[in-house]
Amino acid sequence: MGKKLLCVLLAVLLVTAVFAAGKKDAAASQSTGEAVGYTYGLDKTFYSEQPVTYSMFFSDASWYPMKDEWKTEGVFAEITKKTNVTLDIRSFDSGDYTNKIKLDINAGNSAYIIPKVYEEGPFVDGGAVVAVSDYVQYMPNYMDFYTKYNMANDLDTIVRSDGKYYRLPGMLEAAMQDYTIMIRDDIFKAAGYDVSKLEKDWTWESLYDILVGVKKYMVSKGMCEADDYIWSDLWCGSESGQGKGGNLLKLMGASYGVPSGWAVGNGMQYNRDKDEWYFASTSKDYKDFVTLVNKFVKGGILDPETFTQSDSVATAKFYNGETVLMSVNRGQYQTWISGLDAGKVGKGNYSVYVTVYPKGTNKYAAENSRLENGVMIAEKARKELGEDGFIKMLRFVDWLWYSKEAYTLHKWGVEGKTFQYVTDAATGLKVKKLMPGFKCGGLGIGGAETDEDIRLKWGFAGGNFYYGHTVAEMGDNFIPVIQDYYARLGKYRESRPVNPPVKSTEDENEQLNLWTTPLIDNVNAWTLQFVTGQKDISKDWDAYVASCKNLNSEKVVALINEINKRK
């Protein structure tokens, strides 16, 4: 046997032995749930015998800002009570969260735990975050979900060219389309449109025609003027649209097969028939998409302020009856109802309907991934805690984000204090229900004006923890209205195939980032000008395409397809 072959075989045997030993050690630890200094394991509460503190970044949403009570008696206090772990919270406003944590991480001042990350690429190449895939064998709750729900192909979409991934994602048993549209059903029906009978096959074009009819009715009844807009949306403007057009352009773009708004990414789309990538932001589908959005604006239906205004301005217009449709998600449904009750519309003076949003050129829902935003772990934590301390922290992270116990805690609060289990009369099953005197906008559960909101008061049902898990867990707070929406969505729409991963090297990532950052800024700027009418689509389209080529769109396509051929 040649020396080279012998060395290769020895190396393989060594790696196999180390991996087997790691699996054996992990399996033994998981079966007993015991380790030096702490308890952990599948379906066990992580508990550190000695008090320990881990630093953590926190994305603080302005519509339910963190309060001191969250730390003294709320979600963070309860985490400490259960685990003996204190989270040293370093909070940034959600609107600027990504930029702020980038600055801290690049300055070598990272928190140990970095949640609420949607795209880990910018953090990976500098070596500031750990390849978490090297450590997941120490995370029993994570591995149980990964195995039980066959997540391997999904996780492969975030594996990089080194064969590793750097973000612990929220994992879903099934993809769920959260964001959609709520309409004033009373006004639509008065104008002659029963959306519940139209939504199965309606398109954005047919919605436009419907809204023209609704506005005509409203003008005839003195409910608005001819030059008023009847749709003025949120999650698109200065506060949460991120300069991209936010949620609405994401939904409408996806229905035309192009990435836009929150989902713009690098502007690329995959052609499955040709097994190649193309720059979707200058495609015919993209042109059709922006033309469609502009039609709503030009036709006096969609308020162009949608793409600049704060979210509170948009909701106020809906609550005061100025507009008759607005984006919604399952967490905000009850908040919109409370706003209508308290606004000029007034309780008892309206009815609403949560729609399956229209189709464009395809029949897919916008969401098709079983992965959500997730958690990165700083390299700084591994260096400062040492290997044993680092693995201990990962087992705490495993409990906090992937155990059923922690999911219930940071979603519902404390049994007997904020919620209780009751028997559902229809099914005979045990279900969770808020205790008397409590409500929660984040769970879509309303209540009296004097009831305490468990998210506002104590931080439960917050976005830094509450995502992922099984369909049953995700739906354990769904009121009948939301359950009905998901039932209709399942019947009327399909799940789009997931794009394959682009496993670029560090050097390729750096080059792609250099090209795509100014390129996508340019795409977003032109897109907003097209949809609001500041640019003429028919006259200025060629200039837009040329501007993208000048910013290396063709080079991005060439490099990504070169990477794609390596798979």
Side-chain angles (χ1 to χ4, degrees):
M1 181 180 295
K3 290 184 177 179
K4 185 175 181 180
L5 179 58
L6 179 61
C7 289
V8 170
L9 288 173
L10 287 172
V12 171
L13 288 170
L14 178 60
V15 169
T16 304
V18 169
F19 179 72
K23 285 181 69 177
K24 181 178 179 182
D25 173 69
S29 298
Q30 290 172 24
S31 65
T32 62
E34 297 297 329
V36 176
Y38 61 101
T39 303
Y40 76 100
L42 181 62
D43 297 327
K44 291 181 179 289
T45 305
F46 176 96
Y47 187 81
S48 175
E49 292 178 9
Q50 298 296 321
V52 63
T53 298
Y54 300 130
S55 56
M56 187 183 86
F57 287 132
F58 188 81
S59 177
D60 193 16
S62 59
W63 51 98
Y64 59 100
M66 184 169 61
K67 299 179 179 179
D68 289 340
E69 288 92 334
W70 295 17
K71 298 178 181 180
T72 58
E73 58 189 69
V75 61
F76 298 118
E78 293 298 337
I79 289 169
T80 301
K81 188 183 298 184
K82 277 188 172 291
T83 65
N84 211 15
V85 174
T86 299
L87 288 168
D88 176 15
I89 301 298
R90 289 160 58 176
S91 174
F92 297 112
D93 182 85
S94 59
D96 202 29
Y97 176 72
T98 300
N99 290 331
K100 292 293 188 183
I101 66 173
K102 276 182 184 176
L103 291 174
D104 268 13
I105 291 170
N106 291 339
N109 191 33
S110 179
Y112 286 176
I113 304 170
I114 312 167
K116 207 65 176 174
V117 174
Y118 291 84
E119 173 52 55
E120 64 274 19
F123 303 97
V124 171
D125 297 336
V129 295
V130 171
V132 288
S133 55
D134 288 343
Y135 289 90
V136 291
Q137 69 266 29
Y138 299 112
M139 302 175 65
N141 293 288
Y142 179 96
M143 290 305 300
D144 180 66
F145 196 99
Y146 173 90
T147 303
K148 185 178 292 182
Y149 297 108
N150 303 308
M151 299 299 300
N153 290 338
D154 301 85
L155 267 293
D156 191 50
T157 63
I158 63 171
V159 170
R160 306 182 76 81
S161 62
D162 59 4
K164 303 178 180 182
Y165 56 89
Y166 292 76
R167 168 169 58 99
L168 294 165
M171 295 186 290
L172 305 167
E173 178 186 354
M176 296 190 76
Q177 174 62 49
D178 193 4
Y179 291 80
T180 189
I181 296 171
M182 172 191 280
I183 64 159
R184 281 283 305 278
D185 200 36
D186 55 317
I187 295 176
F188 275 68
K189 284 181 176 174
Y193 302 101
D194 186 342
V195 173
S196 68
K197 296 179 180 178
L198 297 170
E199 65 179 345
K200 178 180 179 180
D201 297 309
W202 69 348
T203 64
W204 292 106
E205 292 283 358
S206 60
L207 173 61
Y208 175 83
D209 294 337
I210 290 168
L211 290 176
V212 169
V214 169
K215 182 175 178 179
K216 183 178 180 180
Y217 166 81
M218 294 174 68
V219 171
S220 72
K221 296 297 182 180
M223 301 171 70
C224 70
E225 301 295 330
D227 58 353
D228 288 337
Y229 298 99
I230 62 170
W231 183 9
S232 193
D233 225 324
L234 82 165
W235 297 322
C236 303
S238 57
E239 187 171 41
S240 54
Q242 302 169 347
K244 304 174 182 179
N247 170 64
L248 185 59
L249 293 194
K250 173 186 174 179
L251 293 185
M252 297 178 84
S255 66
Y256 277 76
V258 295
S260 189
W262 278 339
V264 66
N266 58 12
M268 299 291 290
Q269 185 57 282
Y270 178 67
N271 185 317
R272 197 164 298 277
D273 294 333
K274 296 182 178 180
D275 186 25
E276 65 181 25
W277 293 82
Y278 64 97
F279 191 59
S281 298
T282 53
S283 65
K284 180 184 181 301
D285 284 337
Y286 202 87
K287 186 177 182 180
D288 291 344
F289 148 63
V290 294
T291 301
L292 179 278
V293 184
N294 175 249
K295 181 177 181 178
F296 282 87
V297 174
K298 190 162 56 175
I301 300 298
L302 178 63
D303 186 353
E305 290 183 3
T306 288
F307 303 103
T308 55
Q309 68 193 359
S310 67
D311 293 346
S312 60
V313 170
T315 53
K317 292 174 181 177
F318 188 63
Y319 299 157
N320 293 334
E322 298 171 42
T323 58
V324 294
L325 70 162
M326 189 172 69
S327 291
V328 69
N329 63 27
R330 63 180 184 260
Q332 294 302 108
Y333 172 82
Q334 190 57 51
T335 301
W336 292 184
I337 296 300
S338 298
L340 287 167
D341 288 348
K344 289 183 180 179
V345 173
K347 190 172 184 177
N349 298 322
Y350 67 90
S351 62
V352 296
Y353 184 73
V354 177
T355 74
V356 174
Y357 71 87
K359 295 184 286 188
T361 56
N362 62 58
K363 54 189 174 184
Y364 298 133
E367 301 296 342
N368 67 329
S369 175
R370 292 200 296 161
L371 304 184
E372 294 190 301
N373 68 85
V375 184
M376 297 188 306
I377 305 297
E379 177 64 31
K380 180 181 179 182
R382 182 163 63 178
K383 289 179 179 178
E384 295 183 357
L385 294 174
E387 188 77 356
D388 291 343
F390 180 71
I391 290 172
K392 175 180 177 178
M393 187 188 79
L394 284 179
R395 285 169 170 158
F396 166 72
V397 167
D398 176 63
W399 176 84
L400 187 58
W401 270 278
Y402 298 100
S403 75
K404 295 178 181 179
E405 178 188 26
Y407 183 82
T408 297
L409 172 66
H410 49 62
K411 181 176 179 178
W412 286 90
V414 180
E415 183 181 359
K417 177 181 177 182
T418 57
F419 82 96
Q420 59 188 330
Y421 286 94
V422 299
T423 301
D424 181 75
T427 65
L429 299 174
K430 292 286 186 181
V431 296
K432 302 180 188 74
K433 183 179 180 181
L434 291 180
M435 299 283 285
F438 295 115
K439 60 185 176 182
C440 184
L443 296 177
I445 301 173
E449 187 175 342
T450 55
D451 287 347
E452 195 79 72
D453 189 306
I454 67 168
R455 181 167 71 170
L456 298 179
K457 178 71 172 179
W458 294 300
F460 298 115
N464 284 264
F465 301 120
Y466 160 33
Y467 49 87
H469 288 258
T470 65
V471 170
E473 286 172 302
M474 288 187 289
D476 65 3
N477 61 297
F478 290 177
I479 57 178
V481 167
I482 302 301
Q483 292 174 348
D484 180 59
Y485 158 68
Y486 277 113
R488 287 180 280 115
L489 181 68
K491 292 179 183 177
Y492 301 159
R493 299 295 182 267
E494 296 180 12
S495 182
R496 178 170 42 91
V498 177
N499 286 338
V502 176
K503 298 179 180 179
S504 49
T505 65
E506 183 173 340
D507 288 342
E508 289 165 341
N509 285 337
E510 184 177 358
Q511 183 60 74
L512 287 171
N513 285 335
L514 286 173
W515 285 336
T516 58
T517 299
L519 172 61
I520 298 306
D521 285 346
N522 181 65
V523 168
N524 291 332
W526 275 89
T527 298
L528 291 178
Q529 289 175 320
F530 279 144
V531 302
T532 57
Q534 297 172 59
K535 294 282 190 182
D536 188 297
I537 299 170
S538 59
K539 294 179 180 178
D540 297 324
W541 183 259
D542 289 344
Y544 161 63
V545 174
S547 73
C548 290
K549 290 180 178 179
N550 289 337
L551 288 169
N552 301 301
S553 61
E554 293 175 320
K555 291 181 179 179
V556 172
V557 172
L559 179 52
I560 287 180
N561 278 313
E562 180 182 327
I563 296 166
N564 186 56
K565 290 176 183 177
R566 294 201 302 253
K567 63 186 179 183

